[in-house]
């Protein structure tokens, strides 16, 4: 067993073993500058690992050598590393040799005495559990895929197996027709044994082809190889090599929420996000108390309560950490990415380190959420009277006792409004750092609706001193209801709906 965590009994968590999960994302990518880029890259057909080097033979008759020591371990501390770009992308080969290599390495794998061979013509994989045994001459011990004659896709289905890999414990089989890699967390003991997980698909019954590259998508798993911990998947159709790592804990994709809307969905640059799960931290702490201890109120720490949120190889700024919830901010410089890989790393009080299985986050130029009080949806919004400077109500909360009125300007607060316009004081928005410039308008216009009517947005800005929270001023249209329902939208993405009190027309 090569996983350090497998035999540790954690003080706050049960016995854990790092495993691969269906639908998880890759942790690193070779050959592309991001998980979603389509740059001319590598079209690898076969791979092998020797020492700390990965040798990849591509279709242009060259062998690329990658130094695997340049890829930090999943349990490495990322809080002191870079803060921009993609920290686990675009890793370049240390050598390129112009030599052709015969195909076939991808169709066979050996680890110790165990041998696995792909039989693509018959849609199956043959496994000899002990190739040194005299019985090995009589044929394979296990045949996968042979007896699955159903028309439905399942955990035993093999349609076009093209690659196989062993890691001393697991078996991996790449299926080009189903755009996935099946994972058996232990070497199968019986024919047609169902797989435990599928990489490249959300579950063991899916077979969809992703429209765009993402950390959790595979077009063609042409070659597989493992170093005993990480699985390297050559995807020549996407001109990249994906690096999948097992996790000690699994996360639900719907665990990642916009902190204002509390909704799952695409997330935009600079968004404040909330992660809900269990076993995320041993303690409860927020950034204010952490900074008070260090007498340094800013910027936000990238490690809080011995916990980190790793986003494309970068540790995100953290607002709070607890055993069941983390709050963080996404980077502003997403460089056109449409998806990213995210996982959580935790150092426990007994010294053990756990990581979650990476998941893919969908990214959008803007995905607004409005801040509101707790409760059932639609929740009561955090709404202020904007008024005029001489107005005594300016800046006061909108309440049942002090409702808003038609023709009045109100202020609401949001996150997920994305990039700001350049040239306004020369300040740039940096994740985790209070914005230093004068109020900067959003790059993508914001629209609003109140009780089904269009409402004029007078301004939508990132205020000075703000960390990911935008201020939006809206003119209340002529409405005749005693309460208002407000939502905003950008680039076709609508926010949650919040409610606020309105003065009845008779009282105005």
């Amino acid at each position: 067993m090569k996983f350090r965590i497998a035999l540790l009994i954690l003080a706050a968590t049960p016995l854990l073993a790092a495993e691969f999960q269906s639908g998880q994302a890759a942790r690193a990518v070779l050959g592309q500058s991001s998980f979603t880029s389509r740059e001319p890259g590598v079209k690898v057909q076969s791979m092998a690992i020797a020492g700390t080097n990965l040798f990849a033979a591509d279709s242009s008759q060259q062998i690329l050598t990658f130094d695997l020591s340049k890829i930090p371990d999943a349990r490495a501390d990322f809080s002191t590393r870079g803060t921009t770009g993609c920290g686990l992308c675009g890793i370049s080969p240390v050598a390129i040799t112009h030599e052709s290599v015969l195909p076939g390495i991808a169709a066979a794998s050996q680890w110790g005495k165990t041998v696995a061979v792909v039989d693509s013509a018959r849609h199956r994989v043959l496994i000899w559990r002990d190739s040194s045994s005299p019985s090995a001459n009589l044929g394979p011990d296990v045949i996968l895929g042979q007896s699955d004659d159903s028309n439905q896709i399942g955990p035993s289905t093999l349609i076009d197996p093209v690659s196989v890999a062993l890691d001393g414990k697991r078996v991996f089989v790449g299926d080009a027709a189903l755009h996935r890699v099946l994972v058996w967390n232990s070497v199968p003991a019986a024919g047609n044994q169902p797989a435990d997980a599928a990489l490249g698909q959300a579950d063991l019954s899916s077979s969809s082809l992703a429209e765009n590259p993402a950390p959790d998508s595979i077009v063609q798993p042409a070659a597989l190889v493992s170093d005993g911990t990480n699985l390297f998947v050559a995807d020549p159709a996407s001109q990249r090599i994906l690096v999948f790592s097992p996790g000690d804990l699994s996360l639900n994709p719907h665990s990642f929420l916009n902190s204002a809307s509390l909704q799952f969905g695409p997330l935009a640059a600079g968004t404040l996000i909330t992660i809900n799960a269990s076993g995320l931290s041993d303690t409860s702490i927020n950034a204010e108390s952490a900074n008070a201890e260090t007498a340094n109120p800013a910027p936000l720490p990238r490690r809080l309560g011995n916990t980190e949120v790793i986003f494309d190889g970068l540790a995100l700024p953290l607002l709070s950490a607890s055993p069941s919830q983390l709050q963080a901010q996404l980077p502003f410089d997403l460089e056109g990415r449409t998806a990213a890989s995210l996982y959580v790393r935790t150092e426990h009080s007994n010294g053990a380190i756990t990581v979650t299985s990476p998941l893919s986050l969908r990214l959008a130029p803007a995905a607004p959420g409005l801040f509101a009080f707790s409760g059932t949806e639609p929740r009561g919004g955090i709404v202020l009277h904007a008024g005029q400077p001489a107005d005594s109500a300016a800046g006061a909360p909108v309440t049942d006792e002090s409702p808003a009125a038609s023709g009045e300007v109100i202020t609401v607060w949001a996150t997920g409004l994305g990039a700001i316009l350049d040239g306004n004081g020369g300040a740039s928005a940096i994740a985790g750092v209070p914005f230093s410039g004068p109020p900067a308008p959003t790059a993508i216009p914001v629209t609003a609706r109140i009780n089904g009517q269009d409402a004029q947005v007078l301004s939508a800005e990132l205020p000075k001193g703000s960390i990911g929270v935008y201020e939006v001023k809206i003119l209340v249209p002529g409405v005749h209801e005693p309460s208002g329902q407000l939502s905003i939208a950008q680039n076709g993405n609508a926010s949650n709906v919040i409610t606020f009190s309105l003065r009845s027309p008779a009282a105005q």
Side-chain angles (χ1 to χ4, degrees):
M1 179 76 67
K2 295 193 176 183
F3 303 106
R4 292 171 289 173
I5 198 66
L7 299 179
L8 292 174
I9 300 178
L10 304 182
T13 54
L15 184 68
L16 300 173
E19 300 292 4
F20 291 89
Q21 306 290 333
S22 290
Q24 77 167 71
R27 188 174 62 89
V29 60
L30 311 180
Q32 294 291 341
S33 60
S34 76
F35 285 101
T36 59
S37 59
R38 294 177 178 269
E39 303 157 5
V42 296
K43 296 183 178 181
V44 172
Q45 303 296 327
S46 58
M47 295 185 295
I49 290 178
T52 62
N53 288 332
L54 170 67
F55 299 93
D58 69 9
S59 58
S60 60
Q61 298 188 357
Q62 59 184 8
I63 301 172
L64 311 175
T65 304
F66 295 91
D67 183 356
L68 299 184
S69 66
K70 296 183 180 296
I71 304 176
D73 184 81
R75 290 176 172 77
D77 184 352
F78 283 79
S79 62
T80 58
R81 296 177 181 267
T83 59
T84 60
C86 180
L88 290 173
C89 304
I91 299 171
S92 302
V94 294
I96 299 177
T97 305
H98 295 279
E99 295 286 350
S100 62
V101 175
L102 293 175
I105 296 177
S109 181
Q110 178 180 355
W111 191 286
K113 295 180 180 181
T114 303
V115 174
V117 178
V118 172
D119 183 359
S120 299
R122 298 184 183 182
H123 320 291
R124 62 182 188 168
V125 172
L126 314 178
I127 298 177
W128 285 262
R129 294 173 61 88
D130 184 356
S131 59
S132 66
S133 171
S135 63
N137 296 328
L138 301 178
D141 301 298
V142 175
I143 299 178
L144 302 177
Q146 186 179 42
S147 61
D148 189 1
D149 297 325
S150 66
N151 293 323
Q152 295 184 341
I153 305 301
S156 302
T157 307
L158 292 177
I159 294 181
D160 186 17
V162 294
S163 54
V164 66
L166 303 169
D167 71 355
K169 174 187 175 183
R170 306 177 184 86
V171 176
F172 307 92
V173 177
D175 193 320
L178 300 181
H179 318 292
R180 70 181 187 179
V181 174
L182 289 180
V183 182
W184 285 262
N185 284 323
S186 60
V187 178
N192 208 40
Q193 181 175 318
D196 298 301
L199 306 178
Q201 298 291 349
D203 51 52
L204 286 159
S205 61
S206 299
S207 59
S208 60
L209 176 62
E211 294 183 4
N212 299 302
D216 59 349
S217 69
I218 300 171
V219 177
Q220 180 189 3
L224 309 175
V225 68
S226 173
D227 61 4
T229 300
N230 304 289
L231 176 69
F232 298 83
V233 180
D235 187 1
S238 300
Q239 304 189 62
R240 62 184 185 174
I241 299 172
L242 293 173
V243 183
F244 289 89
S245 302
D248 306 302
L249 303 170
S250 61
L251 291 177
N252 186 315
H254 289 78
S255 299
F256 303 95
L257 307 175
N258 178 302
S259 292
S261 68
L262 304 183
Q263 293 178 349
F264 166 78
L267 298 167
T271 301
L272 300 182
I273 66 170
T274 297
I275 303 172
N276 294 316
S278 59
L280 297 174
S281 175
D282 289 349
T283 60
S284 295
I285 187 171
N286 59 56
E288 291 183 359
S289 61
N291 286 326
E293 294 173 2
T294 60
N296 181 20
L300 292 178
R302 295 177 182 270
R303 176 186 171 101
L304 193 60
N306 289 329
T307 299
E308 299 170 46
V309 177
I310 313 300
F311 174 94
D312 276 2
L314 307 177
L316 295 181
L318 296 175
L319 289 82
S320 66
S322 75
S324 60
Q325 187 178 89
L326 302 174
Q327 291 186 310
Q329 186 182 16
L330 295 186
F332 278 97
D333 53 334
L334 295 181
E335 302 170 338
R337 283 173 268 178
T338 57
S341 174
L342 185 149
Y343 69 94
V344 177
R345 174 190 183 270
T346 305
E347 289 188 20
H348 296 276
S349 55
N350 65 351
I353 299 175
T354 60
V355 294
T356 66
S357 299
L359 285 178
S360 179
L361 266 64
R362 290 188 296 140
L363 304 176
L370 289 170
F371 284 98
F373 296 101
S374 60
T376 58
E377 300 290 347
R379 294 171 293 141
I382 300 176
V383 184
L384 303 181
H385 295 278
Q388 300 296 323
D391 188 347
S392 61
V398 172
T399 63
D400 291 342
E401 293 73 27
S402 179
S406 297
E408 179 186 349
V409 178
I410 57 175
T411 300
V412 295
W413 304 92
T415 192
L417 274 58
I420 57 175
L421 291 176
D422 296 330
N424 192 38
S428 298
I430 302 172
V433 179
F435 183 56
S436 62
T442 60
I444 298 176
V446 177
T447 60
R449 290 181 69 82
I450 296 179
N451 291 5
Q453 298 185 50
D454 291 336
Q456 183 181 0
V457 176
L458 302 180
S459 64
E461 301 172 325
L462 186 66
K464 184 176 181 178
S466 175
I467 296 179
V469 179
Y470 299 75
E471 181 184 81
V472 183
K473 294 186 181 297
I474 301 169
L475 179 66
V476 179
V479 291
H480 302 284
E481 295 87 356
S483 64
Q485 292 199 345
L486 165 67
S487 66
I488 62 175
Q490 285 177 289
N491 208 41
N493 288 327
S495 73
N496 55 311
V497 175
I498 61 173
T499 62
F500 64 100
S501 297
L502 277 171
R503 189 177 306 158
S504 64
Q508 296 185 31

PDB file of all heavy atoms in Angstrom, residues 490-501:
ATOM      1  N   GLN A 490     -26.874  39.061 -15.751  1.00  0.00           N
ATOM      2  CA  GLN A 490     -25.737  39.435 -16.594  1.00  0.00           C
ATOM      3  C   GLN A 490     -25.505  38.336 -17.608  1.00  0.00           C
ATOM      4  O   GLN A 490     -25.533  37.148 -17.261  1.00  0.00           O
ATOM      5  CB  GLN A 490     -24.453  39.596 -15.771  1.00  0.00           C
ATOM      6  CG  GLN A 490     -24.326  40.840 -14.935  1.00  0.00           C
ATOM      7  CD  GLN A 490     -23.033  40.792 -14.141  1.00  0.00           C
ATOM      8  OE1 GLN A 490     -22.903  40.014 -13.207  1.00  0.00           O
ATOM      9  NE2 GLN A 490     -22.067  41.610 -14.533  1.00  0.00           N
ATOM     10  N   ASN A 491     -25.285  38.729 -18.825  1.00  0.00           N
ATOM     11  CA  ASN A 491     -24.845  37.780 -19.838  1.00  0.00           C
ATOM     12  C   ASN A 491     -25.747  36.549 -19.920  1.00  0.00           C
ATOM     13  O   ASN A 491     -25.304  35.448 -20.197  1.00  0.00           O
ATOM     14  CB  ASN A 491     -23.410  37.327 -19.533  1.00  0.00           C
ATOM     15  CG  ASN A 491     -22.643  36.920 -20.774  1.00  0.00           C
ATOM     16  OD1 ASN A 491     -22.742  37.570 -21.810  1.00  0.00           O
ATOM     17  ND2 ASN A 491     -21.879  35.857 -20.674  1.00  0.00           N
ATOM     18  N   GLY A 492     -27.051  36.747 -19.664  1.00  0.00           N
ATOM     19  CA  GLY A 492     -28.002  35.642 -19.736  1.00  0.00           C
ATOM     20  C   GLY A 492     -28.120  34.826 -18.473  1.00  0.00           C
ATOM     21  O   GLY A 492     -28.957  33.911 -18.405  1.00  0.00           O
ATOM     22  N   ASN A 493     -27.315  35.103 -17.449  1.00  0.00           N
ATOM     23  CA  ASN A 493     -27.389  34.378 -16.181  1.00  0.00           C
ATOM     24  C   ASN A 493     -28.087  35.233 -15.142  1.00  0.00           C
ATOM     25  O   ASN A 493     -27.653  36.351 -14.850  1.00  0.00           O
ATOM     26  CB  ASN A 493     -25.992  34.005 -15.685  1.00  0.00           C
ATOM     27  CG  ASN A 493     -25.364  32.908 -16.506  1.00  0.00           C
ATOM     28  OD1 ASN A 493     -26.052  32.021 -17.008  1.00  0.00           O
ATOM     29  ND2 ASN A 493     -24.041  32.941 -16.649  1.00  0.00           N
ATOM     30  N   ALA A 494     -29.187  34.703 -14.580  1.00  0.00           N
ATOM     31  CA  ALA A 494     -29.962  35.448 -13.595  1.00  0.00           C
ATOM     32  C   ALA A 494     -29.545  35.065 -12.188  1.00  0.00           C
ATOM     33  O   ALA A 494     -29.111  33.939 -11.923  1.00  0.00           O
ATOM     34  CB  ALA A 494     -31.449  35.181 -13.783  1.00  0.00           C
ATOM     35  N   SER A 495     -29.701  35.993 -11.272  1.00  0.00           N
ATOM     36  CA  SER A 495     -29.398  35.762  -9.864  1.00  0.00           C
ATOM     37  C   SER A 495     -30.576  35.078  -9.184  1.00  0.00           C
ATOM     38  O   SER A 495     -31.619  34.801  -9.788  1.00  0.00           O
ATOM     39  CB  SER A 495     -29.106  37.092  -9.168  1.00  0.00           C
ATOM     40  OG  SER A 495     -30.315  37.823  -8.989  1.00  0.00           O
ATOM     41  N   ASN A 496     -30.418  34.836  -7.907  1.00  0.00           N
ATOM     42  CA  ASN A 496     -31.539  34.438  -7.061  1.00  0.00           C
ATOM     43  C   ASN A 496     -32.498  35.608  -6.907  1.00  0.00           C
ATOM     44  O   ASN A 496     -32.167  36.767  -7.217  1.00  0.00           O
ATOM     45  CB  ASN A 496     -31.022  33.991  -5.696  1.00  0.00           C
ATOM     46  CG  ASN A 496     -30.155  35.060  -5.022  1.00  0.00           C
ATOM     47  OD1 ASN A 496     -29.239  35.611  -5.656  1.00  0.00           O
ATOM     48  ND2 ASN A 496     -30.419  35.351  -3.768  1.00  0.00           N
ATOM     49  N   VAL A 497     -33.693  35.342  -6.424  1.00  0.00           N
ATOM     50  CA  VAL A 497     -34.696  36.378  -6.169  1.00  0.00           C
ATOM     51  C   VAL A 497     -34.670  36.734  -4.685  1.00  0.00           C
ATOM     52  O   VAL A 497     -34.659  35.840  -3.823  1.00  0.00           O
ATOM     53  CB  VAL A 497     -36.102  35.898  -6.573  1.00  0.00           C
ATOM     54  CG1 VAL A 497     -37.156  36.938  -6.199  1.00  0.00           C
ATOM     55  CG2 VAL A 497     -36.155  35.602  -8.067  1.00  0.00           C
ATOM     56  N   ILE A 498     -34.641  38.028  -4.380  1.00  0.00           N
ATOM     57  CA  ILE A 498     -34.742  38.472  -2.990  1.00  0.00           C
ATOM     58  C   ILE A 498     -36.005  39.309  -2.835  1.00  0.00           C
ATOM     59  O   ILE A 498     -36.527  39.874  -3.799  1.00  0.00           O
ATOM     60  CB  ILE A 498     -33.504  39.287  -2.559  1.00  0.00           C
ATOM     61  CG1 ILE A 498     -33.351  40.560  -3.418  1.00  0.00           C
ATOM     62  CG2 ILE A 498     -32.242  38.436  -2.629  1.00  0.00           C
ATOM     63  CD1 ILE A 498     -32.253  41.492  -2.919  1.00  0.00           C
ATOM     64  N   THR A 499     -36.507  39.379  -1.613  1.00  0.00           N
ATOM     65  CA  THR A 499     -37.713  40.156  -1.337  1.00  0.00           C
ATOM     66  C   THR A 499     -37.355  41.368  -0.482  1.00  0.00           C
ATOM     67  O   THR A 499     -36.374  41.361   0.257  1.00  0.00           O
ATOM     68  CB  THR A 499     -38.767  39.313  -0.610  1.00  0.00           C
ATOM     69  OG1 THR A 499     -38.227  38.885   0.658  1.00  0.00           O
ATOM     70  CG2 THR A 499     -39.124  38.081  -1.431  1.00  0.00           C
ATOM     71  N   PHE A 500     -38.182  42.423  -0.583  1.00  0.00           N
ATOM     72  CA  PHE A 500     -38.013  43.613   0.263  1.00  0.00           C
ATOM     73  C   PHE A 500     -39.353  44.310   0.366  1.00  0.00           C
ATOM     74  O   PHE A 500     -40.257  44.109  -0.453  1.00  0.00           O
ATOM     75  CB  PHE A 500     -36.926  44.551  -0.297  1.00  0.00           C
ATOM     76  CG  PHE A 500     -37.248  45.147  -1.643  1.00  0.00           C
ATOM     77  CD1 PHE A 500     -37.746  46.446  -1.750  1.00  0.00           C
ATOM     78  CD2 PHE A 500     -37.069  44.422  -2.818  1.00  0.00           C
ATOM     79  CE1 PHE A 500     -38.029  47.018  -2.972  1.00  0.00           C
ATOM     80  CE2 PHE A 500     -37.344  44.983  -4.052  1.00  0.00           C
ATOM     81  CZ  PHE A 500     -37.829  46.282  -4.134  1.00  0.00           C
ATOM     82  N   SER A 501     -39.494  45.131   1.389  1.00  0.00           N
ATOM     83  CA  SER A 501     -40.766  45.822   1.657  1.00  0.00           C
ATOM     84  C   SER A 501     -40.923  47.034   0.772  1.00  0.00           C
ATOM     85  O   SER A 501     -39.959  47.788   0.543  1.00  0.00           O
ATOM     86  CB  SER A 501     -40.844  46.241   3.135  1.00  0.00           C
ATOM     87  OG  SER A 501     -40.831  45.113   3.964  1.00  0.00           O
TER      88      SER A 501
END
